[in-house]
Amino acid sequence: ARYDELLAGTYVRAQATPMGYRHVHHVYAVRSPAREAWQHALARQGVATGIHYPKPIHLLPAFRELGGRRGQVPHAGAAAQTVLSLPMYAELTEEQVQRVGEAVRALALAAQPPVAAAAAVQAEELETRPPATVARGAWAGVGAAAGVGHAGAA
């Protein structure tokens, strides 16, 4: 994906695509510990973003009867606090992708953590991801992203 190229060399963590697979990217979700600040900064630049699952799935009302508790599924909790979806829809132009990618890249480079810390976070994520999740694609179900405007908007 073009976003992958534009964000290369930053600590921005997008959904991993297992070797031997190809991603269709109906959503381009990234993770940032400064998600809310990024969302506001991008909005000021005219870039709409999405937070599709602000609560971990085990804490949603539909699953209340299962007795899920905060902190019970730490990776889901961390994702709910850090995942931000970038614009991704069929009408998105190359110029819009470039503008979004450059804006996110600038935010990432301004807050770039030390290389060793970024590598440790990435290694931890890969070591703890259940094989079934990797095989099906990590972050399944992160809904469709809002667009630079919105899909179909001028």
Side-chain angles (χ1 to χ4, degrees):
R2 182 76 173 114
Y3 283 142
D4 291 338
E5 295 168 11
L6 293 166
L7 300 174
T10 71
Y11 78 95
V12 175
R13 295 167 51 199
Q15 178 177 349
T17 303
M19 286 190 354
Y21 290 84
R22 194 176 70 124
H23 203 293
V24 295
H25 287 294
H26 75 287
V27 169
Y28 194 90
V30 297
R31 293 182 75 169
S32 170
R35 177 181 68 190
E36 287 77 18
W38 281 29
Q39 192 169 38
H40 292 297
L42 292 169
R44 285 191 300 274
Q45 296 179 56
V47 177
T49 56
I51 299 174
H52 294 92
Y53 294 97
K55 291 184 179 181
I57 194 166
H58 68 286
L59 298 180
L60 294 175
F63 298 98
R64 185 172 293 140
E65 67 185 47
L66 299 177
R69 296 177 316 280
R70 188 170 308 279
Q72 184 178 19
V73 185
H75 292 287
Q81 294 174 4
T82 61
V83 172
L84 181 67
S85 297
L86 302 181
M88 180 62 71
Y89 55 93
E91 297 84 6
L92 196 61
T93 68
E94 174 60 30
E95 293 78 22
Q96 290 171 318
V97 172
Q98 183 77 27
R99 190 175 65 147
V100 172
E102 288 173 358
V104 174
R105 182 176 182 78
L107 289 169
L109 291 175
Q112 188 84 18
V115 174
V121 168
Q122 190 172 33
E124 181 269 333
E125 179 186 22
L126 293 174
E127 289 174 3
T128 59
R129 187 180 298 156
T133 303
V134 172
R136 292 187 195 122
W139 305 358
V142 177
V148 168
H150 282 285

